[in-house]
Amino acid sequence: MAELNGEPVAPDELRALAMVNYGHFTSMRVDDQHIRGFSHHLERLVRDSRLLFGAELDRDQIRTWVRQAIAGRDGVFVTRVTVFDPHLPIGRPSAPATPQVLVTTREVPSGPVEPWRVRSATYTRDLPEVKHIGLFGALWHRRNAQLAEFDDALFADADGYISEGPTWNVAFYDGEQVIWPNAEVLPGVTMRLLQQVHEHTTLAPVRLQDLPQMQAAFATNTTIGVRAITAIDHVEFPGDHPILDTLRKEYEEIPAESL
């Protein structure tokens, strides 16, 4: 399923996503027509459209298009809202833009969420505060990590300060509080919700050399919720630390928003 501004999308209208690759998006897990943190997702779309296009999006219109696109579909799946301008020329991205809204859906992988083993990589995404569609660098490092028999990559800067994963946020538990890296990262919706509900939470620099002092590590995004990380490079963590169950419970108790 794919709809552009509430209408079935034609293949030619998607050409810009491949040829120009300029835009932004948000992905949301839908549970029986409810989305946890939906207002935060809308806020992200409006904010990023201002930054990338200098244009305003209508929150209510986006809500209507999402509701229409997933109407009548029960169960659990992911819907993605991508914002781009099919007519923005690659030679003049500074031209006045009229961003369009593409709504697509995909299945959620079945089965339990297995722990990850990740490999660190020196990398910072372009414009990290934006969930943009330019994923080449992130996927390149994910590919290399998987070829090295890890599940994914974890980004750090040249000085070893940890930031985020290719499509997820990361956090650690030191025995007293959950620590989110104080770095340039995408402000993930799942991360924001957990920061709001978990009392013992802080932002602080986390270096690769600090990892042996941590008791647990985990990844978060809208699809996986809270996913245990059992290894970062050669440093191992338990996949069943009690903090993980606590965070999952707190996250699942956050009321989902009706469309």
Side-chain angles (χ1 to χ4, degrees), residues 47-61:
R47 180 190 64 237
D48 290 355
S49 190
R50 289 172 182 155
L51 182 58
L52 295 192
F53 296 108
E56 290 292 325
L57 293 181
D58 186 328
R59 287 178 173 84
D60 291 336
Q61 182 65 77

Side-chain angles (χ1 to χ4, degrees), residues 17 44 58 84 101:
L17 288 174
R44 165 189 285 165
D58 186 328
F84 71 110
V101 176

Side-chain angles (χ1 to χ4, degrees), residues 230-247:
T230 53
I232 299 175
D233 297 333
H234 63 280
V235 181
E236 297 186 354
F237 305 94
D240 57 354
H241 195 287
I243 190 63
L244 301 174
D245 287 335
T246 297
L247 291 167

Side-chain angles (χ1 to χ4, degrees), residues 52-240:
L52 295 192
F53 296 108
E56 290 292 325
L57 293 181
D58 186 328
R59 287 178 173 84
D60 291 336
Q61 182 65 77
I62 295 172
R63 182 186 294 271
T64 297
W65 284 333
V66 171
R67 184 188 299 123
Q68 172 183 305
I70 67 174
R73 181 169 179 176
D74 297 325
V76 179
F77 57 95
V78 173
T79 186
R80 168 170 161 160
V81 177
T82 303
V83 180
F84 71 110
D85 185 346
H87 307 294
L88 192 68
I90 193 170
R92 194 164 180 265
S94 61
T98 305
Q100 312 292 300
V101 176
L102 175 70
V103 182
T104 56
T105 61
R106 62 179 172 85
E107 300 296 328
V108 174
S110 60
V113 177
E114 298 294 336
W116 268 342
R117 297 173 60 256
V118 303
R119 187 178 78 162
S120 64
T122 303
Y123 180 69
T124 301
R125 294 187 307 109
D126 293 333
L127 210 62
E129 70 272 21
V130 173
K131 195 174 182 70
H132 55 73
I133 63 177
L135 295 175
F136 174 82
L139 296 184
W140 168 252
H141 287 291
R142 172 175 285 173
R143 169 183 163 82
N144 288 338
Q146 292 174 350
L147 290 174
E149 300 186 346
F150 289 84
D151 297 300
D152 212 338
L154 174 67
F155 302 147
D157 67 14
D159 295 318
Y161 286 92
I162 294 169
S163 57
E164 61 185 351
T167 55
W168 41 270
N169 293 111
V170 67
F172 305 91
Y173 182 65
D174 67 355
E176 295 183 359
Q177 57 189 350
V178 172
I179 303 173
W180 300 87
N182 185 16
E184 292 185 343
V185 301
L186 178 73
V189 171
T190 303
M191 177 185 76
R192 291 179 61 183
L193 293 174
L194 284 169
Q195 288 173 341
Q196 291 170 7
V197 299
H198 188 73
E199 182 178 359
H200 302 291
T201 298
T202 189
L203 291 172
V206 180
R207 300 168 297 174
L208 292 171
Q209 67 189 64
D210 299 327
L211 294 179
Q213 283 73 55
M214 301 297 175
Q215 293 188 12
F218 60 93
T220 66
N221 70 19
T222 190
T223 303
I224 61 177
V226 175
R227 185 174 208 150
I229 293 177
T230 53
I232 299 175
D233 297 333
H234 63 280
V235 181
E236 297 186 354
F237 305 94
D240 57 354

